[in-house]
Amino acid sequence: MLKGHFTSAGASIDYGDATEFFPVDGLDATVLQYRDAQLALDDVAGEDVVVVAPTSLATSYRLTQHALTAIPIETLPAAVQAALDEGVEEGLDAFELIQIGKWTTDSPNYSLAEFTTA
């Protein structure tokens, strides 16, 4: 089951327009990953989050394999904010976080034999 704001986000930025974020380790901003990102995303409403959205099967796979990452918008350098502001209708200042990737909850692994009526 998917969690987070990937489907309830207030806006999205296409993967191709978000090249400023990759690699995230080189980004001059506060970068929260894994559990820290989950906690940050839990603290904000979906409409306050901008997600990096896939544009093809390859970018979908890349984002699925990427660690869940949350970046507070106010910590981004002004040049990065200006470059990304063009891709968001409302403007980045209307949002709190940028989400890269998504996380999933663990689910039981059932075999097909459990669903038969023998």
Side-chain angles (χ1 to χ4, degrees):
M1 166 182 260
L2 296 177
K3 293 182 70 178
H5 300 298
F6 200 78
T7 57
S8 66
S12 65
I13 299 172
D14 288 341
Y15 181 86
D17 296 334
T19 56
E20 291 86 5
F21 293 130
F22 301 103
V24 293
D25 296 336
L27 195 58
D28 185 24
T30 302
V31 176
L32 306 169
Q33 290 190 306
Y34 303 104
R35 178 137 173 83
D36 293 334
Q38 289 178 9
L39 294 173
L41 289 165
D42 282 343
D43 288 341
V44 298
E47 59 268 3
D48 295 331
V49 177
V50 177
V51 296
V52 176
T55 54
S56 67
L57 182 61
T59 58
S60 178
Y61 180 78
R62 169 75 173 110
L63 288 172
T64 302
Q65 299 304 312
H66 195 279
L68 177 66
T69 304
I71 304 168
I73 292 174
E74 73 267 356
T75 66
L76 289 170
V80 174
Q81 285 187 29
L84 295 174
D85 199 41
E86 298 170 6
V88 179
E89 270 186 42
E90 298 84 6
L92 279 182
D93 56 344
F95 301 98
E96 290 184 41
L97 292 173
I98 294 175
Q99 176 182 335
I100 301 172
K102 54 187 172 183
W103 76 93
T104 56
T105 58
D106 294 330
S107 61
N109 188 7
Y110 295 108
S111 72
L112 292 177
E114 295 178 44
F115 297 102
T116 62
T117 56

